[in-house]
Amino acid sequence: MNEAATYDLERKTRVQKIVRMVFLYTMLTLFAIFVLIPFYWMILSSLKTPEQIESVPPALWLRFSEMQFSNYYEAVFSVDSQPFLRYMYNTVIVAALSTAGTVITTVLSAFAFARLNFRFKELFFLLLIMTMMIPGEMFVITNFITVNQLGWVRPDQTYWDALMAMSIPFMTSIFYIFFLRQTFKTIPDELYYAAKVDGTKDFKYLWKVMIPIARPTIITITILNAMGTWNAYIWPQLVTSTRHGRLYHYQLVSNGLRNAFSAEFQPQIHLQMAAAFMVTLPILIVFFLLKKHIMRGVSRSGIKG
Amino acid sequence: MLEQKHNIKAWIYLLPALVLLVVFTFYPIVNAFILVFMEGYRYIDGTWTGWTLTGNIRYVLNSQLFWDAMRNTLVIVFVSVPISVIISLFIAVWLNSIKRLQGTFQTIFFLPYVTNSIAIGMAFAVIFNRDFGLFNLILGLFSIDPINWVGTGASWGRAMTALMVFIVWNGLAFKIIVFLSGLQSIDKQYYDAARIDSASKRRVFLKITVPLLSPMIAFITITSFIGAFKEYTAVVGMFGENLNPGGGGRNMMITIVGLVYESLGQVYPGATSEAAAAAIILFFMTLLLTLFNMYISKKRVHY
Amino acid sequence: METIQIRLENLTKIFQQKGKEETVAVKDLDITIPAGKLIGLLGPSGCGKSTTLYMISGLLRPTTGKIYFGDNEVTNIPPENRGIGLVFQNYALYPHMTVRQNIMFPLENLKFPKEEALNRAQKYADLVGIGHLMDRKPKQLSGGQQQRVAIARALVKEPRVLLLDEPLSNLDARLRLQTREEIKRIQRETGITTIFVTHDQEEAMSISDEIVVMKDGVQQQKGEPQKVYDKPNNMFVAKFLGNPPINLFEGRVSDGEVLVGEMKFGTSKGKAQEVMVGVRPEGFKRVKQGGFEVHVEFVETIGRDTTLIIRNPLDETKTFRAIIDADERVEADSKVRLSVKPNKMFLFDKESGELV
Ligand SMILES: Nc1ncnc2c1ncn2[C@@H]1O[C@H](COP(=O)(O)OP(=O)(O)OP(=O)(O)O)[C@@H](O)[C@H]1O
Ligand SMILES: [Mg+2]
């Protein structure tokens, strides 16, 4: 290797490095655009007039003065609009109920699995693992029958019935029990023994030591569960559907959204998109506020399997 | 005292979850296998007229709708999953090798995870609109005439293509973030060693990164396959309740889970048992696939 | 295989972390490593040994300074083009590859024909004595075997330079002894210019042609092991080399005599001043008369050596060690006369620690 060769090699590696970086950022930017486009198009369309929506080719952006913010007002209050505020209210209540239930049942049983010794523990745990592999549709069928037989789904369904039907079946989650048990397991045994020596009761130990330590995980579970309700479509549709003459304003946002302004031959796309963005925005806000918790939680849940 | 069994206490802690699980998970699993053998079951009053060994399964297998659902589901599973796994693997690897803007990109790529499938599905339907959609506008740049992707009368192939784009989009976030955290947990020293060993970037990727990431790739593939088997909401988001391009007509884009709900929504006697039959078929398909995947992983996944 | 000289010119590495102080890991290192020699890079933990090695390998970029292989500057050449072999501190064997695949990996990267790669891999595996373990995965090997695989992987492409980063630190005492001899043998057989990093002075002394002693990123002394041992430049080097360690006394030079308390240790031409007096345990000898009398507290006889643990007359609570011939019988709790062998005593400046 002589001087000139060395110089060439140096230059070649520098060039290679630059080319690589250009490639990396180009690809990442392209895919980032791909990810962002639906959001952009949703917002853009929600601010167009019906004429602008239909114009060919479509406008790729709007001047501020052209933006029809009134679409949002119309989407909520027009004659043929869905009662969105009502749906949001329903969704928040159902999310609160099912999340509170999930957190309580999850914390208690994760504690039992992580900390206590009891007969059939291994067996029960194995049963839970196997259950996780079974598609949820297997349960849905019987659950549908069950809520019917409990009288929660009737033609004269009350609001309370609907809330029960939508939240109670989702007040526990095997996956979250696992997730939290893993976190509880990382708390050293010595802490528990020390507490026992001091005569601390199990429940107090759980409340004063384990829950505070596992708080990030519990927050993650809370957020993910609440987001799950926000995005729930199938089950609410099933147990509050208008098909059998039930009252439709017990539904949740996703159901309301799907049925909004989508009459087959004249969908009102500008209003549809305004509604879609109104449903999307709250989760985006929650996401940006609690980004760390959510992203960490999701990536950890992936690793744990 | 510490090691003793706290039988009663433990079950008290488990009780709330246990009651819910028994009622809404364990019993339903068993019951699905009972329902499938019932004849003329009516969920309204819980009556049935008799028993049948294979009647419900046969009925489902003989319906055209089931085979439409099967075809759609299998296409979603075997096309969208490999595509999105590969794309997200590459994005994660690229993301892992930059420093500047890494956080920003990571956040952007996570966004599909925190969105409402119905809302985004509707946005995709607008993007794929024949006349004023963005997609055809882009194709127009390559002198391709407007194509009817999702409108009334769109062909199955086109509707499926559009649906595929949406489903891939929807699945990227989770896979990318899991791959990325997997990549970040690989000991840096292997990459140093590979540089010393004069491995090219390509070979580092194929011979070091992929094998060391293989447990995670296997995990993601299995969960994505199972998830894709259960796809339904995305279809509703894009095509509406009727699961058909343009919103009218019926069920061209139906999936197995769609079929379950379709049957569940019917009130005629025996409909519920048909739903159970479809769900059980789905169950065995995912089970088979999971076992097959586990078998492959055992052989191919390192450590 | 060509052998090649390595030259480090003013090599400095500063780690700059966000929001933290910068760390000067290596400072102004100027070392020439002769072709075909084995150099031991020696120093306490955190003194910059690995950093130096990584700069030579190209994995780290020096902050300033240059690196030459022979006449060519390689400072900006990436590691894959430097033609080096590196054995990592914890081996970094690819866990998913068999021993054979691990060893062949560098050859495949260099696009060797399959046949030749297989033969070469076998040859080097045999050289390090693991030729019969080719189909195992690293997990199924003992620490010593893994270490040999790492060496074989580093050697197989017949590099011009071999770098070893504390390769023996994970092995038990016996294996360590055996393996270091093997490394020496392999280095002799192949004639590769080799740098061997360790914090174990005995290890460095026993296998190196030359050692470089470092402290806080700065070179303290370089030379043949015995010479450095016999003539340390400063107190740090004197303390670092030798086991049991050197004895240090507060003493003084006056009228050409070196005195520790009332004891006369020897003579010095230096000016009168306070000094630190260093004497290695084997630097004492027993005498019938003359010298000075000390109180022996314990006696340890291990193999050939008898070690006397002696009360330090300057400080009743402290002791120092002297090693004498095992033939001489000394009782515990008795008095003996000792003197210091000429040339076995070092005087260090009290402030700077430099040799006076
Ligand atoms: N990537 C880094 N960033 C910041 N500081 C570093 C980095 N790598 C090493 N250092 C610092 O540089 C100094 C020298 O580290 P180095 O690893 O070279 O020590 P060493 O002599 O190999 O020690 P050991 O015997 O423990 O392996 C240490 O103070 C260390 O903390
Ligand atoms: Mg080191």
Side-chain angles (χ1 to χ4, degrees):
Chain A
M1 198 167 40
N2 58 36
E3 289 275 335
T6 309
Y7 178 75
D8 277 354
L9 199 57
E10 272 183 43
R11 213 183 45 186
K12 204 174 127 214
T13 51
R14 221 178 5 251
V15 169
Q16 269 174 353
K17 217 170 169 173
I18 293 169
V19 169
R20 207 176 118 72
M21 280 298 139
V22 169
F23 171 80
L24 284 180
Y25 281 96
T26 310
M27 292 310 277
L28 286 172
T29 307
L30 285 178
F31 276 104
I33 290 173
F34 171 61
V35 165
L36 290 176
I37 275 182
F39 295 101
Y40 178 72
W41 206 252
M42 184 194 286
I43 298 170
L44 182 74
S45 307
S46 75
L47 295 169
K48 287 181 174 176
T49 61
E51 294 71 42
Q52 283 170 324
I53 290 269
E54 306 255 322
S55 81
V56 181
L60 294 178
W61 63 83
L62 293 174
R63 277 196 304 271
F64 186 77
S65 57
E66 290 178 305
M67 293 182 183
Q68 299 287 313
F69 291 102
S70 59
N71 286 351
Y72 284 85
Y73 182 85
E74 204 177 328
V76 178
F77 296 110
S78 78
V79 199
D80 49 353
S81 72
Q82 302 270 334
F84 269 107
L85 297 181
R86 177 72 202 212
Y87 289 147
M88 290 202 184
Y89 175 76
N90 294 345
T91 310
V92 169
I93 301 239
V94 171
L97 285 174
S98 79
T99 304
T102 303
V103 169
I104 291 168
T105 58
T106 303
V107 166
L108 292 177
S109 41
F111 174 73
F113 277 121
R115 199 62 287 169
L116 300 177
N117 260 325
F118 55 94
R119 242 145 79 89
F120 305 127
K121 180 170 160 179
E122 314 297 321
L123 194 71
F124 187 32
F125 203 63
L126 192 71
L127 191 67
L128 292 189
I129 295 182
M130 293 192 336
T131 310
M132 275 214 295
M133 320 246 290
I134 296 176
E137 284 60 39
M138 292 280 283
F139 326 145
V140 166
I141 298 162
T142 303
N143 289 346
F144 179 62
I145 300 172
T146 306
V147 291
N148 267 285
Q149 287 175 351
L150 285 169
W152 290 339
V153 185
R154 288 169 288 144
D156 55 345
Q157 185 184 39
T158 64
Y159 189 46
W160 180 251
D161 290 338
L163 291 184
M164 291 296 104
M166 285 191 282
S167 57
I168 291 202
F170 298 95
M171 281 194 180
T172 192
S173 150
I174 298 180
F175 177 70
Y176 293 146
I177 293 176
F178 270 91
F179 192 30
L180 190 58
R181 184 192 86 114
Q182 289 311 75
T183 312
F184 278 169
K185 281 245 161 203
T186 61
I187 300 171
D189 290 348
E190 287 73 16
L191 242 57
Y192 182 59
Y193 297 155
K196 284 266 118 174
V197 170
D198 296 342
T200 315
K201 289 262 183 302
D202 273 344
F203 187 74
K204 193 168 169 208
Y205 176 76
L206 169 63
W207 186 250
K208 292 273 177 200
V209 179
M210 292 183 86
I211 290 180
I213 293 180
R215 219 180 65 174
T217 308
I218 295 175
I219 293 177
T220 303
I221 290 176
T222 308
I223 304 166
L224 293 181
N225 197 71
M227 277 181 8
T229 308
W230 191 264
N231 293 336
Y233 172 80
I234 303 174
W235 181 256
Q237 185 76 12
L238 213 53
V239 298
T240 61
S241 164
T242 57
R243 265 195 245 176
H244 314 306
R246 275 173 228 123
L247 300 169
Y248 66 90
H249 61 255
Y250 295 165
Q251 294 192 329
L252 303 189
V253 278
S254 304
N255 312 98
L257 173 62
R258 182 58 269 187
N259 302 327
F261 316 107
S262 359
E264 192 190 343
F265 290 106
Q266 53 280 83
Q268 293 174 281
I269 286 172
H270 59 300
L271 299 184
Q272 212 181 49
M273 289 297 104
F277 187 60
M278 279 192 294
V279 171
T280 306
L281 190 63
I283 356 176
L284 287 185
I285 291 173
V286 170
F287 170 62
F288 280 105
L289 288 179
L290 299 166
K291 203 166 76 178
K292 274 222 179 74
H293 277 295
I294 298 176
M295 288 175 70
R296 181 157 33 90
V298 172
S299 73
R300 275 226 314 266
S301 71
I303 287 177
K304 296 280 156 53
Chain B
M1 176 203 142
L2 291 170
E3 292 306 315
Q4 87 188 29
K5 296 203 186 288
H6 310 273
N7 285 324
I8 295 180
K9 198 195 309 177
W11 289 106
I12 289 175
Y13 278 97
L14 288 173
L15 195 64
L18 193 62
V19 168
L20 289 167
L21 287 174
V22 167
V23 176
F24 293 110
T25 305
F26 298 148
Y27 160 65
I29 295 170
V30 178
N31 197 42
F33 284 97
I34 298 175
L35 281 172
V36 78
F37 298 120
M38 286 176 160
E39 231 171 34
Y41 181 87
R42 290 162 47 108
Y43 73 87
I44 306 284
D45 50 14
T47 58
W48 72 96
T49 54
W51 299 94
T52 167
L53 190 59
T54 55
N56 291 306
I57 300 263
R58 267 211 320 265
Y59 180 85
V60 169
L61 290 179
N62 282 332
S63 78
Q64 180 56 39
L65 203 54
F66 172 78
W67 291 107
D68 288 352
M70 191 69 152
R71 172 195 61 185
N72 292 339
T73 305
L74 290 180
V75 170
I76 292 171
V77 168
F78 291 106
V79 177
S80 80
V81 172
I83 292 178
S84 66
V85 167
I86 289 171
I87 292 180
S88 40
L89 181 59
F90 275 103
I91 292 180
V93 168
W94 294 332
L95 209 49
N96 193 37
S97 48
I98 62 165
K99 287 215 182 68
R100 243 172 236 266
L101 294 179
Q102 195 193 42
T104 312
F105 276 119
Q106 210 176 325
T107 307
I108 293 175
F109 288 126
F110 192 75
L111 285 178
Y113 191 84
V114 290
T115 50
N116 185 304
S117 296
I118 302 285
I120 294 289
M122 288 161 79
F124 264 102
V126 178
I127 289 172
F128 279 103
N129 186 289
R130 190 194 115 95
D131 301 316
F132 47 83
L134 176 65
F135 198 72
N136 276 344
L137 183 72
I138 295 170
L139 290 186
L141 298 178
F142 302 96
S143 323
I144 297 172
D145 287 335
I147 294 170
N148 182 10
W149 297 102
V150 295
T152 307
S155 72
W156 177 82
R158 288 171 178 174
M160 198 42 123
T161 308
L163 180 64
M164 225 42 99
V165 173
F166 172 38
I167 289 178
V168 167
W169 183 95
N170 217 7
L172 285 182
F174 181 66
K175 300 184 184 74
I176 291 175
I177 195 165
V178 172
F179 281 145
L180 191 63
S181 63
L183 286 170
Q184 283 165 351
S185 66
I186 294 179
D187 193 340
K188 276 247 174 306
Q189 201 137 63
Y190 297 130
Y191 292 104
D192 283 345
R195 291 199 73 188
I196 298 286
D197 292 342
S198 309
S200 62
K201 292 274 186 234
R202 213 178 79 90
R203 276 183 60 84
V204 169
F205 177 73
L206 289 176
K207 297 284 171 175
I208 312 279
T209 307
V210 170
L212 289 179
L213 208 60
S214 53
M216 211 138 285
I217 297 175
F219 163 74
I220 283 287
T221 309
I222 293 179
T223 50
S224 309
F225 271 139
I226 294 176
F229 261 118
K230 301 195 294 185
E231 199 57 84
Y232 171 61
T233 319
V235 189
V236 176
M238 207 155 181
F239 300 107
E241 275 253 271
N242 293 337
L243 308 178
N244 216 47
R250 272 196 93 69
N251 290 335
M252 184 167 95
M253 305 309 288
I254 196 170
T255 60
I256 303 269
V257 170
L259 185 68
V260 172
Y261 291 115
E262 173 75 21
S263 310
L264 213 48
Q266 307 295 333
V267 279
Y268 63 83
T272 315
S273 296
E274 286 154 23
I280 286 170
I281 292 170
L282 176 73
F283 167 56
F284 280 110
M285 286 198 309
T286 53
L287 185 71
L288 212 66
L289 193 80
T290 309
L291 291 177
F292 178 71
N293 252 315
M294 272 157 57
Y295 170 74
I296 295 282
S297 325
K298 262 235 173 71
K299 282 179 69 173
R300 300 292 306 264
V301 169
H302 305 285
Y303 42 29
Chain C
M1 205 186 305
E2 57 170 336
T3 60
I4 197 164
Q5 162 193 295
I6 305 172
R7 191 151 53 83
L8 311 181
E9 216 177 79
N10 282 321
L11 211 57
T12 298
K13 177 72 193 179
I14 299 172
F15 286 110
Q16 182 82 62
Q17 279 165 306
K18 253 190 231 153
K20 285 196 195 145
E21 274 181 58
E22 50 185 39
T23 317
V24 183
V26 173
K27 191 154 189 277
D28 286 336
L29 216 53
D30 247 318
I31 304 178
T32 303
I33 294 145
K37 289 286 195 248
L38 194 164
I39 296 286
L41 196 55
L42 181 62
S45 188
C47 73
K49 307 179 296 285
S50 297
T51 307
T52 308
L53 215 60
Y54 285 175
M55 285 194 287
I56 298 172
S57 72
L59 291 173
L60 284 178
R61 201 173 239 287
T63 312
T64 58
K66 290 176 175 167
I67 300 166
Y68 292 90
F69 283 5
D71 295 329
N72 300 307
E73 193 192 332
V74 297
T75 320
N76 295 319
I77 304 277
E80 50 268 35
N81 294 326
R82 287 197 189 186
I84 46 156
L86 172 59
V87 177
F88 288 84
Q89 202 157 348
N90 41 18
Y91 316 145
L93 295 177
Y94 308 118
H96 54 288
M97 298 185 193
T98 62
V99 168
R100 177 179 289 110
Q101 288 166 334
N102 261 286
I103 301 177
M104 279 173 62
F105 189 64
L107 299 179
E108 287 166 355
N109 293 332
L110 298 170
K111 305 208 165 62
F112 272 62
K114 179 106 197 198
E115 191 70 14
E116 197 186 338
L118 274 168
N119 290 338
R120 274 268 275 274
Q122 192 62 48
K123 177 181 145 196
Y124 280 93
D126 288 337
L127 182 73
V128 297
I130 45 136
H132 57 296
L133 303 172
M134 295 297 262
D135 292 314
R136 296 220 196 150
K137 295 254 173 91
K139 255 204 189 152
Q140 303 164 309
L141 299 177
S142 72
Q145 291 164 336
Q146 289 182 19
Q147 194 254 346
R148 289 150 198 244
V149 178
I151 295 180
R153 186 180 66 182
L155 284 174
V156 74
K157 56 182 174 181
E158 306 190 339
R160 301 180 298 171
V161 173
L162 179 62
L163 308 170
L164 304 142
D165 191 357
E166 309 209 21
L168 309 183
S169 53
N170 294 338
L171 307 187
D172 70 40
R174 251 197 37 211
L175 203 54
R176 188 181 300 190
L177 214 66
Q178 187 189 335
T179 320
R180 84 186 184 205
E181 258 130 49
E182 225 157 284
I183 291 178
K184 183 75 198 163
R185 171 180 65 82
I186 294 164
Q187 194 267 335
R188 287 245 170 78
E189 272 172 34
T190 54
I192 303 178
T193 311
T194 303
I195 303 180
F196 182 102
V197 162
T198 176
H199 59 247
D200 180 340
Q201 51 95 21
E202 196 183 328
E203 203 167 280
M205 306 259 295
S206 65
I207 78 166
S208 311
D209 295 315
E210 280 188 28
I211 58 173
V212 174
V213 183
M214 289 179 67
K215 179 196 170 196
D216 297 339
V218 179
Q219 178 185 340
Q220 303 291 311
Q221 193 167 358
K222 171 172 181 285
E224 286 171 33
Q226 199 56 41
K227 285 205 177 126
V228 177
Y229 183 82
D230 287 339
K231 217 151 180 35
N233 274 347
N234 58 34
M235 208 148 75
F236 174 80
V237 175
K239 273 201 288 199
F240 199 74
L241 300 183
N243 186 28
I246 194 166
N247 301 302
L248 287 168
F249 306 93
E250 296 203 14
R252 62 189 187 278
V253 178
S254 80
D255 301 334
E257 290 192 333
V258 179
L259 296 170
V260 172
E262 297 307 309
M263 301 176 293
K264 179 173 176 264
F265 268 37
T267 58
S268 161
K269 295 195 194 69
K271 67 174 181 355
Q273 61 178 323
E274 300 269 297
V275 290
M276 291 301 291
V277 182
V279 183
R280 295 204 181 275
E282 68 274 19
F284 293 104
K285 71 171 184 242
R286 197 170 168 198
V287 289
K288 291 267 151 16
Q289 62 220 20
F292 42 89
E293 192 181 62
V294 289
H295 182 95
V296 177
E297 291 205 337
F298 308 106
V299 179
E300 284 172 3
T301 305
I302 300 164
R304 303 171 279 106
D305 292 330
T306 297
T307 305
L308 309 181
I309 291 134
I310 297 163
R311 188 180 298 160
N312 188 337
L314 298 183
D315 180 349
E316 294 282 310
T317 63
K318 288 194 178 143
T319 56
F320 67 91
R321 286 165 178 266
I323 296 176
I324 59 171
D325 240 334
D327 304 339
E328 308 222 25
R329 298 217 56 84
V330 179
E331 298 291 320
D333 204 15
S334 67
K335 297 214 182 281
V336 293
R337 296 196 80 77
L338 294 178
S339 76
V340 177
K341 295 178 190 166
N343 301 328
K344 290 288 182 187
M345 177 183 68
F346 317 110
L347 303 182
F348 303 109
D349 188 281
K350 255 196 149 161
E351 303 290 298
S352 67
E354 292 300 308
L355 195 68
V356 176

